[in-house]
Amino acid sequence: MAVETGIGLALIGGVPAMAATPQTELLRWQQAAGQAGDAVKGQVFFGQRQGGEWSCASCHGQPPTRDSQHASTGKKIAALAPAFNAERLTDSAKVDKWFKRNCKDVLSRECTAIEKADVLAYLIGLK
């Protein structure tokens, strides 16, 4: 049974669980990194090529506030910033899946916890 605590936390089987929101996703990665995400660093990271031919912005646009398309497939990608797409960053499993896939495309490795926190801080700050 889940019990609402009034601050977005619930107890499921006696274990705290976060309701998925952009802010709780940011908090999750800040806790993993042991420091706050930096929106300025996130913006720079998002826009720069990281040794390969793509950046995050190659597919998501810069700023990622409108629909865009994948750089090689042309597939439509809905706006990434949560203020422009309320469904973004509301499912932890999808956040994890897409960070893993996209970081490997851009960096040829998984992103670190602080890289994720920085990018999330940037995305959440876009209004």
Side-chain angles (χ1 to χ4, degrees), residues 24-37:
T24 58
E25 288 302 299
L26 174 60
L27 179 61
R28 178 167 71 106
W29 290 108
Q30 289 177 143
Q31 289 174 335
Q35 66 188 68

Side-chain angles (χ1 to χ4, degrees), residues 19-29 81-83 85-91 95 120-121 123-124:
T21 67
Q23 293 72 23
T24 58
E25 288 302 299
L26 174 60
L27 179 61
R28 178 167 71 106
W29 290 108
N85 181 351
E87 293 180 18
R88 286 296 191 176
L89 309 176
T90 59
D91 181 323
V95 170
L120 289 169
L123 294 173
I124 291 168

Side-chain angles (χ1 to χ4, degrees), residues 4 6 13-14 24 27-29 37 43 47-48 51 55 59 63 74 76 83 86 90 93-95 100 103 106:
E4 183 64 38
T24 58
L27 179 61
R28 178 167 71 106
W29 290 108
Q43 180 180 12
Q48 285 185 337
S55 68
C59 296
K76 180 183 171 186
T90 59
K94 286 183 181 179
V95 170
K100 184 174 184 176
C103 290
V106 171

